[in-house]
């Protein structure tokens, strides 16, 4: 009997219609799927995963008496005692995030080069303005429209090409194109910051990377100091630590620490008793804090990398809105996701204001646009081509709830503008201790916060997100 020659699985996988970009790109390093070059599927990722899972990171918390705090709060005896284990991050999720980030950044550089050549090149060189004909408005509009369409559709193509089932990987991919959409709108309407137009390299950095570049009075990028770099690294460590604690606490409760509540969807009748239920508000606050930390970490990691590798100073994108906001306008305009606020201002607010001259119409356009593009994000991340076994395919995810949430917050800001000048409100504001102001502000949005968070909870987004971090679980 003659022995059969071993099958070359590498060639079969690459030639297969089912091979994903992640498998192909990582094949030379033995990082592909279970069918890559090893006949047993024992590739580098699997070996690393098995090694990490074999490490015993368990520990015991001894028995303890009843613990009392401030005279009113207490923890029952032995409530936290027992055996705990540290679950290490999932290597495949981290690898998928890295591959998706790398490809998206390369696409962003290509988009930036096209925009720079079409919209900016002739404007930045006096000699070229004399010798070459500038791009016509029609040509700019056509190219800009094609780039917008490409930014909307590219995440779907990349998700398919990578075979990305993880909602964390999908969110990472889509978030880059969310930024590219509004960067492109900036270019179409002519609201690119002057400093970003100074050179091709600066514009590519500005366009492709998710950070808000700071320019000085001479329209030159402000460079990071050693203290800025150190603070950026400290911020990453602090945010990661906070997320690990939050996910370790919330994960056993399926990210609903106060249980199920009766607050209905945006298209159902609003019952005040259910919307103001303390358990419902507690769930909303917990998820809002987690969302804040998740977004803060993405910006902190990007910002720290930019400051270390490129030297540019990065503007902090999350400025503790949940605890320091002084008004709804301050919350949305100067503290929550400052990067998205900046690109929405240049890509939506200023163009609408230019053609309508109405601040109210421009503000409404920003909140509606934000809602619509969050719907697109929900569809791409949680609904598109989800496998039958996924949570998103088995639970109902409603489109429209994110838009309803943002429109509601526009209403809150309009009410703020109307009431801010009244003497009664001013007198009341002086009577309320400053430490309670942020609480009152978030209470304007918290009853409706589930309109925003429900799609992510039902799509199991946080269960995929937590795989990127070591978590402490009670056995």
């Amino acid at each position: 009997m003659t022995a059969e020659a071993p099958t070359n699985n590498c060639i079969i996988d690459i030639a297969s219609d089912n091979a994903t970009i992640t498998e192909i790109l990582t094949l030379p390093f033995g990082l592909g799927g279970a069918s890559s070059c090893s006949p047993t599927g024992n590739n580098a990722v699997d070996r690393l995963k098995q090694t990490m899972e074999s490490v015993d990171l368990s520990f015991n918390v001894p028995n303890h008496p009843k613990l009392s705090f401030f005279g009113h709060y207490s923890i029952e005896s032995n409530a936290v005692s027992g055996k705990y284990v540290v679950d290490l991050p999932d290597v495949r999720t981290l690898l998928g995030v890295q591959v998706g980030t790398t490809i998206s950044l390369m696409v962003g550089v290509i988009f930036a080069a096209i925009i720079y050549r079409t919209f900016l090149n002739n404007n930045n060189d006096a000699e070229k303005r004399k010798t070459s004909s500038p791009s016509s408005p029609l040509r700019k509009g056509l190219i800009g429209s094609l780039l917008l369409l490409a930014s909307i559709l590219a995440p779907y193509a990349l998700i398919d090409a990578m075979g990305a089932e993880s909602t964390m990987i999908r969110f990472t991919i889509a978030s880059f194109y969310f930024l590219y959409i509004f960067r492109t709108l900036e270019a179409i309407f002519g609201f690119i910051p002057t400093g970003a137009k100074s050179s091709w390299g600066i514009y590519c950095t500005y366009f492709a990377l998710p950070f808000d570049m700071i320019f000085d009075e001479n329209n030159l990028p402000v460079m990071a100091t050693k203290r800025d770099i150190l603070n950026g690294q400290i911020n990453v460590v602090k945010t990661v630590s906070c997320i690990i604690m939050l996910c370790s606490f919330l994960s056993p409760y399926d990210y609903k620490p106060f249980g199920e509540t009766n607050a209905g969807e945006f298209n159902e009748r609003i019952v005040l008793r259910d919307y103001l239920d303390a358990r419902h508000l507690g769930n909303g606050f917990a998820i809002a804090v987690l969302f804040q930390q998740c977004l803060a970490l993405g910006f902190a990691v990007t910002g720290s990398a930019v400051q270390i590798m490129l030297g540019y100073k990065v503007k902090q994108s999350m400025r503790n809105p949940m605890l320091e906001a002084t008004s709804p306008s301050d919350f949305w305009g100067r503290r929550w996701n400052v990067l998205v606020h900046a690109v929405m201002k240049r890509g939506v607010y200023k163009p609408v204001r230019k053609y309508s001259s109405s601040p109210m119409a421009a503000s409404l356009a920003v909140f509606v646009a934000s809602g619509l593009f969050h719907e697109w994000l929900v569809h791409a991340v949680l609904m598109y081509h989800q496998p039958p076994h996924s949570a998103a395919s088995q639970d109902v995810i409603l489109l429209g709830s994110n838009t309803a949430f943002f429109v509601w917050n526009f209403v809150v800001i309009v009410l703020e503008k109307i009431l801010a000048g009244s003497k009664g409100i001013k007198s009341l504001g002086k009577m309320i201790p400053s430490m309670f102001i942020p609480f009152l502000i978030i209470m304007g949005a918290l009853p409706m916060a589930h309109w925003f968070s429900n799609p992510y909870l039902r799509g199991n987004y946080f269960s995929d997100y937590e795989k990127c971090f070591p978590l402490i679980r009670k056995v």
Side-chain angles (χ1 to χ4, degrees):
M1 181 180 293
T2 58
E4 293 183 3
T7 304
N8 189 337
N9 287 327
C10 298
I11 297 175
I12 291 174
D13 284 346
I14 294 177
S16 170
D17 291 337
N18 296 323
T20 66
I21 282 183
T22 306
E23 293 171 341
I24 294 172
L25 289 178
T26 58
L27 192 57
F29 307 100
L31 300 178
S35 60
S36 59
C37 297
S38 166
T40 62
N42 190 24
N43 55 61
V45 169
D46 290 330
R47 291 196 299 271
L48 178 59
K49 186 174 181 179
Q50 291 167 7
T51 301
M52 292 171 66
E53 290 175 349
S54 67
V55 178
D56 184 9
L57 295 175
S58 61
F59 60 93
N60 290 289
V61 174
N63 293 339
H64 60 82
K66 182 177 180 179
L67 305 174
S68 298
F69 305 92
F70 308 112
H72 299 285
Y73 306 98
S74 63
I75 298 177
E76 295 299 322
S77 59
N78 301 326
V80 296
S81 63
K83 184 176 181 180
Y84 292 81
V85 65
V86 177
D87 282 349
L88 294 177
D90 180 67
V91 181
R92 292 199 177 279
T93 300
L94 293 175
L95 176 64
V97 167
Q98 184 59 51
V99 171
T101 298
T102 303
I103 296 174
S104 297
L105 284 175
M106 290 191 294
V107 174
V109 170
I110 294 171
F111 285 3
I114 294 172
I115 290 176
Y116 190 82
R117 178 68 182 86
T118 305
F119 292 79
L120 306 176
N121 198 31
N122 291 332
N123 297 328
N124 292 337
D125 194 318
E127 292 300 320
K128 287 185 178 180
R129 282 201 302 267
K130 296 177 183 178
T131 59
S132 61
S133 58
S135 299
S136 67
L138 180 61
R139 181 168 178 263
K140 288 182 179 181
L142 177 61
I143 293 176
S145 299
L146 290 174
L147 288 176
L148 282 176
L149 183 62
S151 297
I152 292 171
L153 297 179
Y156 294 100
L158 186 52
I159 287 168
D160 282 340
M162 290 181 60
E165 296 183 4
S166 167
T167 56
M168 173 56 190
I169 298 174
R170 289 168 169 237
F171 187 90
T172 302
I173 293 169
S175 60
F176 280 94
Y177 295 91
F178 187 98
L179 174 67
Y180 299 160
I181 289 168
F182 293 102
R183 293 285 199 218
T184 302
L185 286 172
E186 286 178 6
I188 292 174
F189 293 106
F191 290 106
I192 300 172
T194 303
K197 299 185 282 188
S198 57
S199 73
W200 179 84
I202 289 177
Y203 184 70
C204 284
T205 303
Y206 166 82
F207 183 96
L209 290 171
F211 79 104
D212 204 18
M213 189 176 284
I214 304 172
F215 301 99
D216 61 19
E217 62 275 7
N218 298 316
N219 290 316
L220 296 175
V222 176
M223 306 308 290
T225 63
K226 290 183 179 179
R227 180 174 291 277
D228 292 329
I229 294 173
L230 177 60
N231 288 339
Q233 294 171 320
I234 292 173
N235 191 30
V236 171
V237 174
K238 286 168 56 179
T239 310
V240 168
S241 301
C242 187
I243 288 176
I244 290 173
M245 289 188 291
L246 283 170
C247 288
S248 296
F249 172 73
L250 294 173
S251 181
Y253 301 99
D254 291 328
Y255 293 90
K256 295 179 181 179
F258 298 96
E260 296 290 340
T261 60
N262 297 321
E265 294 292 348
F266 75 101
N267 58 345
E268 298 175 344
R269 186 169 65 93
I270 294 177
V271 180
L272 284 179
R273 180 183 58 191
D274 295 334
Y275 273 65
L276 297 178
D277 182 357
R279 296 179 303 121
H280 171 68
L281 297 176
N283 285 338
F285 184 81
I287 289 298
V289 172
L290 182 56
F291 260 120
Q292 175 183 319
Q293 294 304 315
C294 293
L295 292 172
L297 178 61
F299 296 129
V301 170
T302 302
S304 183
V306 167
Q307 292 187 149
I308 292 171
M309 294 188 288
L310 300 178
Y312 299 130
K313 185 175 181 177
V314 172
K315 185 183 295 184
Q316 187 176 351
S317 199
M318 278 289 183
R319 302 178 57 207
N320 201 12
M322 301 292 292
L323 299 178
E324 295 184 12
T326 58
S327 69
S329 297
D330 181 56
F331 183 98
W332 290 109
R334 289 177 288 274
R335 295 189 178 277
W336 182 274
N337 208 338
V338 175
L339 170 63
V340 169
H341 169 77
V343 297
M344 295 286 284
K345 182 177 181 179
R346 293 189 290 263
V348 179
Y349 182 87
K350 287 186 175 182
V352 175
R353 182 76 187 273
K354 178 181 178 181
Y355 294 106
S356 73
S357 70
S358 170
M360 193 66 69
S363 296
L364 176 60
V366 167
F367 278 93
V368 171
S370 182
L372 292 175
F373 279 99
H374 276 86
E375 303 291 353
W376 166 79
L377 201 63
V378 166
H379 184 266
V381 173
L382 304 171
M383 301 176 69
Y384 177 70
H385 281 187
Q386 282 287 3
H389 59 78
S390 70
S393 66
Q394 297 173 13
D395 209 341
V396 177
I397 295 177
L398 293 177
L399 289 176
S401 61
N402 276 207
T403 302
F405 173 74
F406 282 103
V407 170
W408 166 254
N409 281 281
F410 168 75
V411 172
V412 171
I413 287 181
V414 170
L415 291 175
E416 174 200 346
K417 299 296 183 185
I418 294 173
L419 299 175
S422 68
K423 293 181 179 180
I425 294 297
K426 288 182 178 179
S427 301
L428 183 62
K430 293 177 181 178
M431 295 170 56
I432 299 174
S434 58
M435 63 181 296
F436 293 116
I437 296 295
F439 170 75
L440 294 177
I441 291 167
I442 62 175
M443 275 301 296
L446 210 54
M448 282 72 177
H450 64 294
W451 293 354
F452 182 86
S453 62
N454 271 358
Y456 293 91
L457 290 169
R458 292 177 176 176
N460 244 22
Y461 170 73
F462 293 107
S463 296
D464 286 339
Y465 183 83
E466 69 184 28
K467 294 178 182 178
C468 295
F469 304 92
L471 296 190
I472 302 171
R473 301 185 188 276
K474 190 173 184 179
V475 179

